[in-house]
Amino acid sequence: MINNLDSLIIGNKKFNSRLMLGTGKYQTVKTAINSIKASKCEIITVAIRRLPTNLNFDNTNFLNHFDWKNLWLLPNTAGSQTAEEAIRMAFLGHELACRIGQEDNFFVKLEVISDPKYLLPDPIGTLKAAEFLIKKGFTVLPYINADPMLALHLEDLGCATIMPLGSPIGSGQGLKNITNIEIIIENSNIPVIIDAGIRTPSEVSLAMELGADAVLLNTAVAQSKNPEDMAFAMNLAVQSGRLGYLAGLMDKKQYATPSSPLNQISKINKLL
């Protein structure tokens, strides 16, 4: 069984859940809140660019509806086309964290995306922004293509995690580059979080079975027909895949082998 010793460590924070959820694309605030509760996740990500520029809090601000004693905010720099824009969003993200009582929260999901069609992350801009933010004390979680060499460079810079995409954002294409993801997991000494493109609980489970440390989802839950049920399913998938990985999967074989070998059957017959 998975126990409390199997926690997810990011920076200096410990989390029991290995599922993270985004807060965009839900039909209603109530649906978002109920889905997050159903998922039992402990980290939710919010796009800073989509929030009011003054960050004022009133009864209509959807952030007021969350229990920030049990949730950790992961501000993200979505919509930033340059390193400079992403850096500016990161500082606004920390300001937002302070407003909800998380003064020690310097987490940032770093996204630098200059490609408007496929929304693929910019590796050069990501490296540049990551280096600056790490020097300023941020806990940087960079969103990248499934590029093993880029992952190593970002780890060397001091990033807290690596977040390779499964496939393009919101595409629902699943894990399209498993080989590179496996290489990243094998070589990484920091948590690897699969982010973007996942559509189904089975894909979540597969990501965890490969050895990923966590999964971040948004569209797969928010755009499903029943987001609350889907969020619960994704929670179970993360747990199932993680437990399968820890249990140790059997080796693949080229040929069939009987589940009841003849020598065992002979031994049984002698006993009868």
Side-chain angles (χ1 to χ4, degrees):
M1 296 291 292
I2 298 177
N3 55 46
N4 290 334
L5 296 177
D6 184 47
S7 298
L8 174 65
I9 309 294
I10 301 176
N12 61 356
K13 292 286 293 183
K14 181 170 72 173
F15 304 94
N16 293 318
S17 174
R18 292 175 179 270
L19 175 62
M20 308 176 184
L21 282 188
T23 54
K25 299 185 178 181
Y26 290 91
Q27 293 295 320
T28 66
V29 171
K30 182 178 179 180
T31 300
I33 294 169
N34 290 342
S35 298
I36 288 167
K37 288 181 179 178
S39 75
K40 300 187 183 300
C41 72
E42 296 173 343
I43 300 176
I44 61 172
T45 184
V46 174
I48 301 304
R49 185 175 290 273
R50 297 193 183 100
L51 295 176
T53 55
N54 57 14
L55 295 180
N56 285 335
F57 278 68
D58 56 34
N59 292 331
T60 63
N61 192 316
F62 85 102
L63 293 176
N64 285 334
H65 296 273
F66 296 106
D67 180 6
W68 295 112
K69 293 181 180 179
N70 296 314
L71 286 174
W72 190 249
L73 177 68
L74 176 58
N76 74 63
T77 65
S80 300
Q81 296 185 341
T82 66
E84 291 73 19
E85 284 183 290
I87 290 168
R88 187 161 55 251
M89 289 299 109
F91 278 92
L92 287 174
H94 174 61
E95 181 182 341
L96 174 62
C98 291
R99 297 286 186 90
I100 62 171
Q102 296 181 359
E103 291 81 3
D104 60 337
N105 185 348
F106 284 86
F107 275 43
V108 60
K109 182 192 173 192
L110 178 59
E111 297 184 28
V112 182
I113 300 175
S114 55
D115 164 32
K117 183 175 182 181
Y118 297 103
L119 300 179
L120 297 174
D122 175 359
I124 305 302
T126 300
L127 276 169
K128 182 179 178 181
E131 183 175 17
F132 181 90
L133 290 170
I134 289 167
K135 289 179 179 178
K136 294 297 182 180
F138 281 84
T139 301
V140 179
L141 293 73
Y143 170 64
I144 65 169
N145 286 300
D147 182 338
M149 293 310 300
L150 176 60
L152 288 175
H153 286 308
L154 288 164
E155 181 177 337
D156 288 342
L157 283 179
C159 287
T161 71
I162 298 297
M163 302 184 75
L165 56 81
S167 53
I169 294 174
S171 69
Q173 295 178 28
L175 303 178
K176 300 293 285 187
N177 200 340
I178 290 179
T179 300
N180 277 17
I181 290 175
E182 287 180 316
I183 293 172
I184 291 173
I185 292 171
E186 178 185 355
N187 291 332
S188 181
N189 295 305
I190 54 178
V192 176
I193 302 169
I194 307 302
D195 178 18
I198 285 179
R199 176 173 173 264
T200 67
S202 61
E203 291 163 355
V204 167
S205 186
L206 174 58
M208 300 304 294
E209 289 168 9
L210 293 175
D213 295 278
V215 171
L216 192 152
L217 306 169
N218 190 172
T219 308
V221 173
Q223 296 293 289
S224 64
K225 293 181 180 178
N226 189 323
E228 295 173 38
D229 285 351
M230 184 61 74
F232 182 62
M234 294 301 190
N235 168 49
L236 296 178
V238 166
Q239 295 186 59
S240 174
R242 179 65 178 176
L243 184 56
Y245 171 75
L246 294 176
L249 304 176
M250 65 168 283
D251 294 331
K252 288 183 179 180
K253 300 174 183 178
Q254 184 174 1
Y255 302 105
T257 56
S259 56
S260 300
L262 292 177
N263 60 341
Q264 289 187 9
I265 294 175
S266 299
K267 292 179 181 178
I268 293 172
N269 288 335
K270 289 180 181 180
L271 294 174
L272 296 177

